[in-house]
RNA sequence: GCGCCCGUAGCUCAGCUGGAUAGAGCAUCGGCCUUCUAAGCCGAGGGUCCCAGGUUCGAGUCCUGGCGGGCGUACCA
């Protein structure tokens, strides 16, 4: 690539002045009049070599003039170097895209190493809500980004099927069950008031009959617990499948107890000498590792807090061979980050383990007003309701298009709009338009563009500004994908795709057959037509691959 | 009180390791459909980048101190 050759040459020149660790940028300027590539190296070098930036820039311009593919270099502003590439060099991007095809955009940063992404991890006490939806989309797409970056990814869902909340769920089922049998049985304080528990109780009654009517025994509650958990987990799994999200493993909190992992973790922590008894509870000195206060491991009644199985679980991840782990969680859980890491550090794991990605909450607005539209869950909007309303693709995209750490307002009016105003449709339409061009070319017998091998089109003919800009944009796809993966930030890809779609539309429209027939894609001039169809195919590949990373369909016709 | 996150156009938000005139979509206003191509395109208006200092050739970006909002700060999960 030209960018690499140029940046090598720049680095070499800096080394010639005795600066081996020069930091600089070489990227595409916002303003096309600043060239195809621009660098600030003269500005960063100025203080190091004690010369004026413009002089350095002029010096560099003279040295780099001979590099192949560069048409000219300009020194601008305080000392920026602007590189204008030859059309051949720009057009070469298209051939690379057509060579790589459905692989285009990926990289090998991961080198085949294993990484776990844990996400959603909802309690099996109710249907998934919008926060889970955002998390499902984020976790899944981060996993996809990592796969495109050469990682072997394991998607995991941890579910808390032990503990107090589950006991309360069982008690709620019992209350609803009794109600169905005509008794006056209130849902206890801290119980689950959503309608869905009534459905579960009804199903349970249908299957098990009234045998537990007068028996609020341990066995009865245990039977109801099992039934409710299994039914809610099934529902969550269905909702996730409907959201195009699948897990490699569902990991049970209870299994940490039956495997004795929790027990072993207590022993291991005890052995560090960092535990102590206070007011009947067993504490860990997590403050040794930067936590704000020490944490209770075992309550005075002998039961474990959540902290303990969390540590046991993450020790387990490490022992299973996952030394790279990303936990996607709602930011309301940020309080647990320091304590879990502290517990793990006490056991000798490195300080940054595991990595956390915390995302902010979601609200839904219609007509500028916040809405909640769950009939079954009562207090919150479910993921399933949202998907039913706007569709999977739109829901996924909207959850992804903002930075995770920013609050997300889900604009239902925009989500339901099927025009280009809706960013999802904008990208899909651009893709479909490009497909139509290929189809039309095929109908006219102008084939050869779309075969498995890159055609020999003379892409240097693509010299119109809209074409140059689009080509440069397509060439940047791998860089954006890499950055999105490294930053765990799918929205970077959303922004990229929207901008690309915009440039596609501009290009498509500036070649309007009526007003600018000489810029139309399907011109009679064969070499030009081939070049433009090559551009169309390359752009289609980028949009398609980009949508694929987001887990969104790219139809050939809308 | 302490900790984490956020504060950019009327609204929702981008802005990469500090770079050139701060961007996009929505909304508003104006222009463009006899020829593959209007689910579209082109253009315009709209900003004390929360405030005040600081660092430097250069700050929306980094540092310090405020202000405002969200979340957390349990022997809850």
């Amino acid at each position: 690539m030209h960018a690499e050759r140029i940046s090598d040459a720049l680095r070499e020149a800096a080394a010639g002045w005795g600066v081996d660790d020069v930091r600089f940028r070489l990227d595409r300027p916002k303003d096309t009049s600043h060239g195809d590539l621009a660098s600030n190296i003269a500005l960063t070098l100025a203080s190091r070599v004690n010369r004026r930036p413009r002089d350095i820039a002029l010096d560099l311009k003279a040295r780099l003039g001979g590099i192949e593919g560069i048409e000219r270099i300009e020194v601008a502003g305080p000392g920026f170097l602007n590189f204008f590439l030859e059309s051949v060099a720009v057009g070469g991007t298209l051939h690379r895209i057509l060579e790589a095809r459905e692989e285009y955009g990926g990289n090998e940063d991961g080198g085949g190493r294993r990484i776990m992404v844990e996400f959603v991890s909802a309690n099996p006490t109710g249907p998934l809500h919008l926060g889970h939806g955002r998390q499902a989309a984020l976790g899944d797409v981060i996993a996809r980004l990592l796969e495109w970056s050469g990682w072997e990814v394991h998607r995991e869902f941890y579910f808390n099927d032990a503990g107090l909340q589950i006991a309360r769920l069982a008690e709620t089922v019992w209350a609803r069950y009794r109600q169905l049998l005509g008794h006056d049985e209130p849902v206890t304080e801290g119980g689950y008031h959503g309608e869905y528990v009534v459905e579960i109780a009804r199903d349970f009654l249908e299957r098990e009959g009234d045998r537990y009517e007068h028996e609020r025994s341990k066995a009865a509650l245990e039977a109801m617990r099992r039934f409710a958990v299994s039914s809610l987990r099934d529902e969550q799994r269905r909702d996730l499948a409907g959201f195009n999200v699948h897990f490699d493993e569902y990991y049970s909190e209870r299994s940490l107890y039956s495997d004795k992992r929790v027990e072993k973790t207590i022993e291991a922590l005890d052995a560090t000498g960092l535990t102590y008894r206070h007011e009947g509870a067993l504490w860990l000195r997590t403050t040794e590792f930067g936590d704000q206060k020490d944490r209770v491991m075992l309550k005075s009644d002998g039961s474990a807090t959540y902290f303990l199985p969390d540590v046991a679980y993450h020790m387990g991840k490490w022992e299973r061979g996952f030394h790279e782990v990303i936990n996607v969680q709602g930011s309301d859980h940020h309080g647990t980050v320091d304590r879990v890491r502290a517990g793990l550090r006490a056991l000798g794991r490195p300080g940054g383990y595991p990595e956390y990605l915390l995302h902010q909450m979601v609200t839904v607005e219609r007509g500028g007003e916040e809405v909640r539209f769950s009939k079954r869950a009562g207090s919150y909007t479910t993921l399933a309701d949202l998907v039913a309303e706007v569709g999977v693709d739109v829901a996924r995209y909207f959850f992804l298009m903002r930075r995770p750490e920013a609050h997300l307002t889900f604009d239902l009016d925009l989500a339901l709009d099927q025009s280009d105003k809706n960013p999802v449709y904008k990208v899909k339409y651009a893709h479909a338009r490009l497909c139509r061009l290929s189809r039309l070319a095929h109908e006219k017998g102008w084939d050869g563009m779309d075969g498995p091998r890159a055609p020999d089109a003379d892409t240097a003919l693509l010299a119109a500004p809209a074409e140059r800009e689009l080509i440069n944009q397509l060439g940047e796809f791998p860089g954006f994908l890499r950055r999105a993966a490294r930053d765990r930030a799918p929205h970077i890809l959303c922004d990229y795709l929207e901008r690309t779609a915009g440039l596609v539309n501009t290009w498509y429209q500036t070649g309007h057959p009526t007003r600018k027939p000489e810029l139309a894609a399907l011109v009679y001039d064969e070499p030009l037509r081939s070049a433009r169809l090559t551009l169309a195919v390359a752009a289609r590949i980028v949009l398609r691959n980009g949508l694929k990373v987001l887990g969104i369909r790219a139809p050939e016709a809308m």
Side-chain angles (χ1 to χ4, degrees):
Chain A
M1 277 184 75
H2 314 283
E4 279 161 28
R5 265 215 304 281
I6 294 171
S7 82
D8 286 347
L10 290 173
R11 205 169 281 117
E12 198 180 309
W17 288 318
V19 183
D20 290 325
D21 57 342
V22 63
R23 287 161 66 86
F24 64 96
R25 296 177 56 156
L26 179 69
D27 45 26
R28 186 153 65 96
K30 279 174 277 189
D31 187 335
T32 50
S33 74
H34 293 149
D36 297 299
L37 288 166
S39 179
N40 65 343
I41 188 164
L43 294 142
T44 66
L45 228 40
S47 60
R48 303 285 298 272
V49 300
N50 207 13
R51 290 177 61 195
R52 285 191 307 194
R54 268 195 86 91
D55 294 341
I56 299 175
L58 289 166
D59 214 334
L60 287 168
K61 175 183 169 174
R63 285 183 192 222
L64 270 63
I67 294 183
E68 189 195 335
I70 295 178
E71 189 181 282
R72 67 178 196 283
I73 303 172
E74 286 180 3
V75 174
F80 289 100
L81 278 171
N82 295 337
F83 298 90
F84 293 79
L85 303 181
E86 287 171 5
S87 295
V88 180
V90 174
T93 300
L94 299 182
H95 294 293
R96 284 205 310 280
I97 296 172
L98 266 70
E99 283 293 337
R101 287 261 152 187
E102 58 272 7
E103 310 275 320
Y104 180 69
N107 64 74
E108 285 304 319
D109 289 353
R113 281 171 292 164
R114 292 214 292 165
I115 187 167
M116 177 192 290
V117 183
E118 185 210 322
F119 59 112
V120 184
S121 295
N123 288 350
T125 53
L128 300 175
H129 55 67
L130 293 181
H132 297 127
R134 185 176 196 185
Q135 196 170 125
L138 276 172
D140 183 53
V141 172
I142 286 166
R144 287 168 190 255
L145 282 165
L146 291 167
E147 283 163 348
W148 277 73
S149 300
W151 292 86
E152 189 188 323
V153 183
H154 179 88
R155 291 168 171 82
E156 185 149 303
F157 182 126
Y158 176 62
F159 61 101
N160 301 119
D161 51 351
L164 189 62
Q165 294 309 314
I166 294 298
R168 284 177 175 164
L169 174 69
E171 281 161 16
T172 308
V173 176
W174 158 260
R176 295 300 195 189
Y177 175 78
R178 287 269 294 172
Q179 288 170 10
L180 289 169
L181 290 166
H183 299 276
D184 182 19
E185 190 79 39
V187 172
T188 51
E189 183 118 5
Y192 291 87
H193 293 271
E195 268 299 295
Y196 63 90
V197 187
V198 179
E199 292 166 20
I200 290 169
R202 192 175 294 124
D203 292 345
F204 184 81
L205 178 61
E206 203 168 290
R207 217 176 72 171
E208 299 290 327
D210 59 5
R211 53 198 275 214
Y212 296 112
E213 182 172 3
H214 302 292
E215 188 197 327
R216 195 178 183 280
S217 63
K218 223 172 161 179
L221 286 170
E222 173 65 12
M224 290 178 187
R225 180 192 68 76
R226 279 173 180 279
F227 186 84
V229 166
S230 132
S231 139
L232 285 165
R233 287 191 57 215
D234 284 347
E235 181 180 342
Q236 291 182 350
R237 238 187 310 244
R238 266 200 311 280
D239 290 350
L240 288 166
F243 197 50
N244 202 7
V245 171
H246 302 272
F247 286 88
D248 297 302
E249 189 162 356
Y250 285 80
Y251 201 97
S252 146
E253 183 195 5
R254 286 177 90 83
S255 74
L256 293 168
Y257 290 91
S258 53
D259 291 353
K260 308 276 183 222
R261 278 189 183 279
V262 171
E263 216 171 291
K264 284 177 197 155
T265 301
I266 297 173
E267 287 167 15
L269 286 169
D270 245 339
T272 64
L274 291 165
T275 58
Y276 62 93
R277 289 256 165 212
H278 178 66
E279 290 178 356
L282 185 63
W283 297 67
L284 180 69
R285 240 178 261 289
T286 51
T287 46
E288 290 284 315
F289 303 101
D291 199 4
Q292 281 197 289
K293 53 172 289 191
D294 289 345
R295 303 295 169 178
V296 172
M297 297 162 52
L298 291 175
K299 303 183 220 171
S300 47
D301 67 3
S303 65
T305 60
Y306 249 55
F307 167 59
L308 194 52
D310 274 353
V311 174
Y313 174 48
H314 285 91
M315 283 303 288
K317 285 183 180 178
W318 184 279
E319 282 156 20
R320 282 191 281 155
F322 293 106
H323 296 186
E324 304 271 359
V325 171
I326 302 172
N327 288 348
V328 186
Q329 296 187 348
S331 64
D332 53 335
H333 287 77
H334 79 251
T336 65
V337 172
D338 282 347
R339 80 184 69 158
V340 170
R341 282 182 174 166
L344 290 164
R345 275 186 69 190
L347 295 173
R349 297 301 84 107
Y353 180 82
E355 179 184 335
Y356 282 87
L357 178 74
L358 303 174
H359 65 85
Q360 291 289 329
M361 298 295 115
V362 180
T363 48
V364 181
E365 284 186 3
R366 192 195 312 259
E369 301 273 312
E370 184 175 346
V371 292
R372 298 163 192 268
F373 49 83
S374 172
K375 307 121 261 182
R376 291 176 60 235
S379 60
Y380 57 86
T381 305
T382 66
L383 173 61
D385 285 344
L386 184 76
V387 170
E389 178 111 10
V390 305
V392 195
D393 289 348
V394 171
R396 283 182 74 107
Y397 194 95
F398 274 54
F399 280 134
L400 295 168
M401 69 183 181
R402 304 296 182 215
R403 331 209 307 283
E405 56 272 23
H407 174 87
L408 178 75
T409 304
F410 199 111
D411 182 346
L412 261 188
D413 300 313
L414 185 60
L416 289 167
D417 190 321
Q418 301 204 348
S419 77
D420 267 27
K421 288 175 190 170
N422 182 334
V424 192
Y425 282 91
K426 178 174 179 172
V427 177
K428 287 185 173 213
Y429 287 134
H431 176 264
R433 251 173 226 128
L434 295 166
C435 290
R436 179 161 52 180
L437 271 187
S438 291
R439 257 199 324 274
L440 287 166
H442 175 73
E443 281 165 18
K444 297 192 182 215
W446 294 333
D447 274 327
M449 293 317 112
D450 227 359
R453 295 187 11 217
D456 329 312
D458 182 4
T459 48
L461 295 170
L462 301 171
E467 292 171 336
R468 295 274 297 230
E469 200 177 355
L470 177 56
I471 295 168
N472 282 331
Q473 173 79 0
L474 299 177
E476 288 194 337
F477 179 54
F480 274 86
L481 194 152
R482 163 177 279 135
R483 194 152 67 81
R486 284 187 182 165
D487 294 353
R488 323 316 189 193
H491 77 278
I492 288 174
L493 202 53
C494 294
D495 284 352
Y496 172 82
L497 290 175
E498 276 174 62
R499 172 148 174 76
T500 307
L503 291 174
V504 165
N505 286 341
T506 299
W507 172 71
Y508 190 71
Q509 191 69 24
T510 50
H512 194 286
T514 310
R515 292 184 1 243
K516 296 265 176 145
E518 71 278 10
L519 288 176
L522 301 179
V523 288
Y524 284 96
D525 177 348
E526 200 280 326
L528 198 52
R529 191 178 67 228
S530 287
R532 289 191 177 144
L533 282 168
T534 301
L535 174 55
V537 172
R540 198 182 74 195
I541 289 169
V542 168
L543 291 179
R544 187 180 184 76
N545 290 1
L547 286 171
K548 195 172 175 189
V549 177
L550 299 179
I552 292 175
R553 287 163 297 195
E556 300 202 348
M558 299 291 289

